[in-house]
Amino acid sequence: MQKFERQNEKMEMVTEVMGDAIDDALEGDEEEEETEEQVNQVLDEIGIDLVNAPSSAVAAPAAKGKVAQVETTGDEDSGTDSDLQARLDNLRRM
């Protein structure tokens, strides 16, 4: 009977420790959500929208500096080349 009581107490302690460990692991998710909310708030304050305009975030630094000239090497795929050239021209205008 005493052996059973000891095993029962040991099992209760293990259950409590496991429950605490699971609770601690799940609390990290809340911290990640809070961190993400704070990062999004700061990005909103400085005017960066990562979801709707990722190309503008990439294009903005290029607009401040010099942009290299594009050379065409033939008529291999002129549709793609003209599209890329149009996009480059738009970046230069920014």
Side-chain angles (χ1 to χ4, degrees):
M1 188 65 153
Q2 291 177 348
K3 187 176 181 180
F4 174 75
E5 287 178 7
R6 277 189 252 134
Q7 287 179 350
N8 192 24
E9 288 177 11
K10 185 177 179 180
M11 183 187 235
E12 287 176 5
M13 287 191 290
V14 168
T15 303
E16 184 179 341
V17 169
M18 291 299 292
D20 291 344
I22 290 173
D23 290 342
D24 290 343
L26 294 178
E27 285 179 11
D29 292 339
E30 292 174 7
E31 292 174 2
E32 288 178 24
E33 290 173 5
E34 290 176 14
T35 302
E36 187 172 334
E37 288 175 10
Q38 290 177 349
V39 168
N40 288 335
Q41 180 182 1
V42 169
L43 292 175
D44 288 342
E45 288 176 2
I46 60 175
I48 296 177
D49 186 9
L50 295 176
V51 176
N52 294 327
S55 62
S56 66
V58 173
K64 292 179 182 176
K66 295 182 179 181
V67 179
Q69 298 292 325
V70 176
E71 294 182 23
T72 56
T73 58
D75 294 331
E76 295 172 0
D77 192 9
S78 62
T80 303
D81 290 342
S82 63
D83 180 48
L84 290 174
Q85 185 63 42
R87 292 173 65 188
L88 182 60
D89 292 340
N90 285 338
L91 288 174
R92 286 185 181 141
R93 283 186 228 136
M94 294 178 123

